[in-house]
Amino acid sequence: MRRFLITAVVLVLIVGVGVFAIDRAVAAYAEDQIKQQTVAEVSRRGMSSGEPSVDVGGFPFITEVMSGKYDQIVIVLPNLAGQGITLPKFTLTASGVNAPLDALRSGEGTITADKVTGTSVVPWDVVVKQTKFKGLTLAADADGTLRVSGEATLGGFSIPLTGKAKVTLAGPTKLRVQVTELNGTDANLNALVKSLIAAYQDKLVFDVALPKLPYDLKLQKINATPDGLDITAYAENVPLNQ
């Protein structure tokens, strides 16, 4: 009996390993097909990126393949670039994906997602470059407070400055950066210099146009963090293989 039980366990393990290997092979095939579709989508938008990584998740995955319905697919695009801006990492999360096996295999037919969310962090140096702040930098505290610091030449004076700013949504793929408070670091500034600083602050409002995001995603939320501007974009009923 003991020998029989050992043999049975070994057979179950062998079968299990075989099923797992087949399941992962099918998953790898699906991931490769989705990767190709993503590369084509990025190119259609006039953008470029490093090689995407795709994770279809789930086990057993083969049941999702046979049904043509996937709970979630995560696609990571490194160095997504367009319109002079590079996002170091752009993560796409597609939920409720409908991808019939024939469509994946042939590249024809319709593959859709109930919703797609895109997330990325835009480094502050990238934001500052687009705003054309001369001599000023942006940085955020842990609580999201956005601070301005640097030096500007006003009326022939080189003046160290500090202050605060805010970032708001200005369009589907556009941000607006506005300095809301600006002061000289010298407590003994005269009235003329203070007026120059106030006039300069009024000019510090810039729109930053992000690249046309894959799958026509629209900005939904932004949040200032120490690492940069955390952005979230969103779309519903998205065709993934246009």
Side-chain angles (χ1 to χ4, degrees):
M1 176 62 73
R2 182 171 179 272
R3 181 178 297 175
F4 171 78
L5 289 174
I6 293 173
T7 302
V9 169
V10 170
L11 287 173
V12 168
L13 289 174
I14 291 173
V15 171
V17 170
V19 170
F20 180 81
I22 293 172
D23 190 83
R24 290 302 89 192
V26 172
Y29 173 79
E31 288 172 351
D32 184 65
Q33 296 300 307
I34 293 167
K35 182 186 297 185
Q36 292 181 37
Q37 296 287 355
T38 304
V39 169
E41 168 65 15
V42 170
S43 178
R44 273 193 294 270
R45 300 285 172 181
M47 305 173 69
S48 65
S49 77
E51 183 177 358
S53 64
V54 179
D55 183 8
V56 294
F59 182 82
F61 175 72
I62 196 167
T63 59
E64 292 187 321
V65 173
M66 299 309 295
S67 68
K69 295 184 181 297
Y70 306 79
D71 290 337
Q72 182 172 281
I73 296 174
V74 179
I75 305 165
V76 178
L77 293 164
N79 298 319
L80 181 64
Q83 297 175 229
I85 294 179
T86 298
L87 305 178
K89 183 174 77 170
F90 191 80
T91 302
L92 292 162
T93 302
S95 304
V97 178
N98 300 288
L101 182 57
D102 286 345
L104 280 177
R105 187 167 47 207
S106 67
E108 299 177 355
T110 303
I111 300 174
T112 62
D114 292 343
K115 63 179 181 179
V116 176
T117 301
T119 58
S120 186
V121 175
V122 188
W124 288 120
D125 60 340
V126 173
V127 177
V128 170
K129 182 179 179 180
Q130 295 300 313
T131 59
K132 298 179 175 58
F133 282 177
K134 294 182 178 180
L136 298 179
T137 61
L138 293 171
D141 297 338
D143 64 0
T145 300
L146 186 53
R147 300 191 180 279
V148 181
S149 62
E151 191 171 284
T153 300
L154 306 174
F157 300 98
S158 182
I159 305 172
L161 299 168
T162 186
K164 295 182 180 180
K166 66 177 181 180
V167 182
T168 56
L169 294 177
T173 58
K174 186 181 294 184
L175 309 169
R176 179 164 295 151
V177 183
Q178 179 178 1
V179 174
T180 57
E181 178 183 315
L182 195 65
N183 300 290
T185 58
D186 185 349
N188 299 316
L189 294 177
N190 60 41
L192 173 60
V193 173
K194 289 181 179 179
S195 67
L196 291 173
I197 293 174
Y200 184 52
Q201 177 187 323
D202 290 340
K203 299 177 181 178
L204 297 179
V205 182
F206 296 97
D207 287 347
V208 178
L210 296 180
K212 294 179 179 177
L213 300 176
Y215 302 112
D216 203 26
L217 297 181
K218 304 293 190 298
L219 289 174
Q220 183 185 46
K221 184 172 61 175
I222 53 177
N223 183 43
T225 74
D227 293 330
L229 196 59
D230 195 343
I231 64 172
T232 300
Y234 181 80
E236 293 183 343
N237 302 319
V238 181
L240 298 181
N241 63 335
Q242 295 177 340

